[in-house]
Amino acid sequence: MTKTKTSNISTFNKYLTLWVLLCMVLGVLIGKYIPAIPDFLNQFEYAKVSIPTAILIWVMIYPMMLKVDFESIKNVRKNPKGLFVTWIVNWLIKPFTMYALASFFLFTVFDHLIPAEIAREYLAGAVLLGAAPCTAMVFVWSKLTNGDPAYTVIQVATNDLIILFAFVPIVKFLLGISDIVVPWATLILSVILFVVIPLVAGVLTRRIVVKRRGLKYFEDVFVKKFDGSTTIGLLLMLVFIFSTQAETLLGNPLHILLIAVPLVLQTALIFAIAYLACYLLKLPHNIAAPAGMIGASNFFELSVAVAIALFGTTSPAALATTVGVLTEVPVMLLLVTIANKTKKYFSK
């Protein structure tokens, strides 16, 4: 049964980890043997924001924002308990457990394997992942667990709004107590560039197209035209990042595995908290599953973009957020399997 549901995921999303690995190899080869390419691209920036990165991020995020229906927010009252679980786990628990787990492993368990200065930036990357719960792939995870589509849309819509106000202060606070200085201006600019602009563009496009051609055309034809751009944007972004990280990766290949440990544990922990909370609240499985998924997965596109804006494309922080991409799909597919196998324990 699970195998059949998993087949509903697109080929690209299903093998995302494989594509990330291939991009990592290609990027490292470019960075090692054709370093002039990343050096040239790194020249283009404004206010510490990489222009090539910004373009690729827009190419990735804009199609995701098209899927967000803010009209659904008026139905918030229909599933209040599930939404409260989502909001509490995403914004009052997840960023802080990520900080705690990453700090423990990077500075205690792996203290002899990772220099303190590099570990501090890895921690920054982990914090950026923890402060950005998923707004796109959760549609996939919800579908694979037969989640309530209407509830999932409300989840994503409200989450996008909360990101606008909560992401910057949470990141600023957690990085501040880690003695990592980040300017408010760069953080705010990053949210404007990588959330506000594509979100507004997506909302306006959705309204215009739906008004002119109808909702069915928008969902069945228009949105699907952009599936390829999201794929291309993500793959090019990964090649670009890994090309700038070539020396770091070749010098410290073990670091990828070490970074992955707290990220994987965090994903499992957050899913368990939200999923168990829904069970205790006697919520149906089609609410519990997406509630667990949205917190467990990350808005890694935003995390990568902000890490690059704050620390640069060659930074350990950017590498840490990219490892989040590498680990996400296999771990989330495992959680999908767990959710499907435990469905019988939930109320109908």
Side-chain angles (χ1 to χ4, degrees), residues 93-340:
I93 297 176
K94 181 179 179 179
F96 306 98
T97 54
M98 175 67 91
Y99 174 83
L101 279 171
S103 295
F104 174 68
F105 279 96
L106 294 173
F107 293 105
T108 302
V109 179
F110 304 143
D111 65 325
H112 297 301
L113 299 173
I114 304 176
E117 193 59 37
I118 294 178
R120 189 171 288 108
E121 285 207 30
Y122 287 159
L123 174 62
V127 166
L128 292 173
L129 285 167
C134 186
T135 64
M137 286 294 287
V138 69
F139 287 114
V140 176
W141 312 133
S142 179
K143 181 179 180 181
L144 294 180
T145 56
N146 282 336
D148 183 337
Y151 169 72
T152 304
V153 169
I154 297 173
Q155 270 188 316
V156 173
T158 55
N159 217 47
D160 281 338
L161 291 177
I162 295 173
I163 283 178
L164 297 178
F165 304 101
F167 180 78
V168 170
I170 288 175
V171 169
K172 181 70 174 178
F173 171 73
L174 291 176
L175 295 186
I177 62 177
S178 307
D179 294 325
I180 301 172
V181 179
V182 292
W184 279 100
T186 304
L187 271 175
I188 294 172
L189 177 61
S190 296
V191 172
I192 292 173
L193 284 175
F194 305 127
V195 180
V196 176
I197 291 178
L199 184 60
V200 171
V203 170
L204 292 177
T205 302
R206 183 185 183 93
R207 288 186 176 181
I208 293 171
V209 176
V210 170
K211 184 177 181 180
R212 293 181 177 179
R213 303 293 298 273
L215 182 61
K216 182 174 177 59
Y217 170 82
F218 177 82
E219 293 181 341
D220 296 343
V221 180
F222 186 81
V223 171
K224 292 181 180 180
K225 292 179 179 180
F226 295 90
D227 288 346
S229 66
T230 300
T231 302
I232 293 171
L234 178 58
L235 294 180
L236 290 176
M237 168 66 78
L238 294 175
V239 172
F240 177 48
I241 291 174
F242 284 121
S243 70
T244 63
Q245 293 283 346
E247 294 301 324
T248 301
L249 290 170
L250 293 173
N252 305 284
L254 179 63
H255 285 198
I256 292 179
L257 294 177
L258 301 182
I259 296 169
V261 172
L263 299 187
V264 171
L265 291 177
Q266 161 78 356
T267 301
L269 173 65
I270 293 302
F271 172 79
I273 292 173
Y275 198 55
L276 180 59
C278 289
Y279 172 78
L280 295 175
L281 290 170
K282 301 186 183 304
L283 294 174
H285 187 264
N286 65 351
I287 297 295
M293 298 297 172
I294 194 170
S297 54
N298 301 304
F299 190 177
F300 55 76
E301 296 88 354
L302 174 62
S303 303
V304 170
V306 177
I308 292 173
L310 289 173
F311 304 100
T313 53
T314 61
S315 67
L319 176 61
T321 56
T322 307
V323 174
V325 186
L326 186 65
T327 60
E328 171 132 342
V329 171
V331 177
M332 291 305 299
L333 285 176
L334 174 61
L335 295 179
V336 164
T337 300
I338 292 173
N340 287 333

Side-chain angles (χ1 to χ4, degrees), residues 36-50:
I37 293 178
D39 290 344
F40 173 75
L41 293 174
N42 284 332
Q43 295 178 28
F44 300 95
E45 66 173 37
Y46 177 78
K48 295 185 177 180
V49 174
S50 167

